[in-house]
Amino acid sequence: MFEKYYSKLESRDQRPLRLPEIKRPGTDFAQMRGRHKSKSRAGIERTHCLSVDQKCELVQKELEDIKDEIRHLRANAERDLQYHEAIIEEAEIRWVDVQKEVHEFEKDILKTISKKKGSILATQKVMKYFEDMNRRRDNMKEKLCLKNVSLKVQRKKMLLQLRQKEEVGDALHDVDFQQLKIENAQLIDTIDTKNQELIQLKLSSGTTQQVLNSYKTRLTRALEMSISLEKEISQRKELLEKIEREILQAEGDRAKDEALNKKLRRQLSEFRVPPVMLYVKEKVLNGDLEKTIKVWERKVEIAEMSLKGYRKDWNKMKTTNEQLLAIGSAGK
């Protein structure tokens, strides 16, 4: 153990070799190896001269150095773990934001663009969406800049407090360090519990997000169904109004038909059959009248035929007269 501790001390005392020193000739390198062997032999020889108390002191120092190295390694590991956890958390938050943006873009833009392809309104809507997104990012950037400034101020304050504590740290005792270790362990336990709670909340938020998306899809389906039902209701209302108009028209026609039926029934009830002798006389009179009508029709036909003959004779006489007048005028 003493040889190990002594070699560690020698490694601390030795400075790293530079490039020109590495490129020395072989003789110098051999000399250096001889010196190193002589020092190690001297160190081994010194071990035989150490007392038990000195050996115990060396062992305690070695143990303290090992504890310091373990403490530094643990602190570095915790720092790296916190750094990677922060990166993972930031990636998860960004992934959730990306999924949210994609869902909103598909809901607000893609559905309307698929319905109105090639229209100016679709392009204007897309441009407005990107402008709103850039505006939100600018606002977020301003907020983060202000938060960064405030965190820098807090960092300066904490560094100042840390320096003050380091200056006062010389006056601290082992009891204070033990108390700080206990508080650190308690805080680590609380951080672990909070991390577990955060993981559970993230899982529950993921499930709630899935449930919310399913309810959103159901809501869109219900809205589409409500729109179709409203259209069908409006069509049924128009059909009902048309049927009511037809019913009113049919009732009016029925009232007219009922009035005509009543009139005909009244006429039928008031009708009286004439006596037989009067019917026979009227029938004989009707036959005589028909005979006289036929005689007169025959006479009219004969008169029309005689009129046609008279017209022909008149036309012949008129033509002969016109010819005689023409001959007389020519003889003069």
Side-chain angles (χ1 to χ4, degrees):
M1 186 178 289
F2 174 71
E3 291 176 358
K4 184 179 178 182
Y5 182 72
Y6 185 73
S7 63
K8 189 184 290 184
L9 290 176
E10 284 186 348
S11 64
R12 288 180 184 174
D13 293 333
Q14 287 177 358
R15 58 183 179 85
L17 294 174
R18 296 178 184 177
L19 187 62
E21 291 177 353
I22 293 170
K23 294 181 179 179
R24 289 178 180 177
T27 55
D28 295 338
F29 186 71
Q31 291 177 1
M32 287 175 68
R33 287 183 64 187
R35 290 173 187 173
H36 181 68
K37 287 180 180 179
S38 63
K39 285 182 180 179
S40 62
R41 287 172 185 172
I44 292 166
E45 290 174 358
R46 286 176 191 170
T47 55
H48 298 289
C49 300
L50 292 174
S51 63
V52 176
D53 294 332
Q54 290 175 349
K55 290 179 180 179
C56 290
E57 187 178 357
L58 289 173
V59 169
Q60 288 179 357
K61 287 182 180 181
E62 180 68 16
L63 185 62
E64 288 177 358
D65 291 336
I66 291 168
K67 286 181 179 179
D68 290 333
E69 288 180 0
I70 292 168
R71 197 180 297 112
H72 286 301
L73 291 172
R74 188 176 292 172
N76 292 326
E78 289 178 356
R79 194 183 303 113
D80 293 335
L81 181 63
Q82 290 177 359
Y83 176 71
H84 291 299
E85 285 178 353
I87 290 171
I88 292 167
E89 187 176 359
E90 184 180 1
E92 289 177 354
I93 292 167
R94 287 185 179 179
W95 176 244
V96 171
D97 293 334
V98 168
Q99 286 182 343
K100 186 177 178 182
E101 292 291 335
V102 168
H103 181 69
E104 290 180 355
F105 185 76
E106 289 178 352
K107 181 181 176 183
D108 298 334
I109 305 299
L110 289 181
K111 289 183 179 179
T112 56
I113 289 173
S114 61
K115 293 178 182 177
K116 301 176 181 179
K117 286 185 178 179
S119 62
I120 299 171
L121 293 174
T123 55
Q124 289 178 356
K125 197 163 187 179
V126 172
M127 294 299 292
K128 186 178 179 182
Y129 177 79
F130 283 114
E131 288 176 358
D132 294 335
M133 186 183 289
N134 290 325
R135 196 178 298 111
R136 287 199 299 270
R137 286 184 177 178
D138 292 334
N139 294 327
M140 183 65 71
K141 184 174 73 174
E142 291 177 357
K143 289 180 181 178
L144 290 174
C145 287
L146 294 173
K147 190 174 181 181
N148 193 9
V149 171
S150 64
L151 289 173
K152 284 182 179 179
V153 173
Q154 290 179 1
R155 181 173 175 274
K156 288 181 180 179
K157 289 181 180 179
M158 292 177 73
L159 287 172
L160 183 61
Q161 291 176 0
L162 185 63
R163 287 175 184 173
Q164 290 177 358
K165 286 181 179 180
E166 285 179 355
E167 291 176 357
V168 181
D170 297 333
L172 296 174
H173 300 287
D174 293 333
V175 178
D176 297 328
F177 284 112
Q178 293 296 329
Q179 187 176 358
L180 288 172
K181 286 181 180 179
I182 293 166
E183 290 178 357
N184 191 13
Q186 292 176 356
L187 290 172
I188 288 168
D189 293 333
T190 53
I191 288 166
D192 291 332
T193 55
K194 294 293 182 182
N195 287 326
Q196 294 294 326
E197 291 177 359
L198 182 62
I199 291 166
Q200 293 294 327
L201 290 172
K202 285 180 180 178
L203 293 173
S204 62
S205 67
T207 54
T208 51
Q209 187 69 31
Q210 292 177 357
V211 173
L212 181 63
N213 292 326
S214 65
Y215 280 119
K216 283 182 179 179
T217 53
R218 290 181 185 177
L219 181 61
T220 52
R221 291 176 184 172
L223 289 172
E224 291 175 356
M225 189 180 291
S226 67
I227 290 166
S228 62
L229 290 173
E230 285 177 357
K231 289 181 180 178
E232 189 175 356
I233 288 166
S234 63
Q235 292 175 0
R236 295 290 179 87
K237 283 182 179 179
E238 291 177 356
L239 183 61
L240 182 63
E241 290 176 356
K242 186 178 179 181
I243 291 168
E244 287 178 353
R245 288 196 297 270
E246 290 178 355
I247 288 168
L248 292 174
Q249 188 177 0
E251 286 180 354
D253 295 336
R254 184 176 62 81
K256 290 179 182 179
D257 293 334
E258 284 180 355
L260 182 60
N261 192 9
K262 286 180 181 179
K263 184 179 179 182
L264 292 172
R265 285 179 182 276
R266 188 171 59 253
Q267 289 178 359
L268 184 62
S269 63
E270 292 176 355
F271 179 72
R272 296 290 181 270
V273 179
V276 178
M277 294 304 293
L278 181 62
Y279 177 72
V280 172
K281 289 179 181 179
E282 292 290 335
K283 190 72 174 176
V284 171
L285 182 61
N286 191 10
D288 294 335
L289 289 172
E290 287 179 353
K291 287 178 182 179
T292 54
I293 287 167
K294 289 179 180 179
V295 170
W296 282 105
E297 286 178 353
R298 182 64 181 168
K299 287 180 180 180
V300 168
E301 289 177 357
I302 292 166
E304 287 179 352
M305 290 175 69
S306 62
L307 180 62
K308 287 180 180 179
Y310 290 148
R311 282 181 179 175
K312 286 180 181 179
D313 294 336
W314 171 254
N315 289 326
K316 287 178 181 180
M317 290 172 68
K318 193 175 180 180
T319 53
T320 55
N321 191 12
E322 287 177 356
Q323 288 175 1
L324 290 172
L325 289 171
I327 293 165
S329 63
K332 291 179 181 181

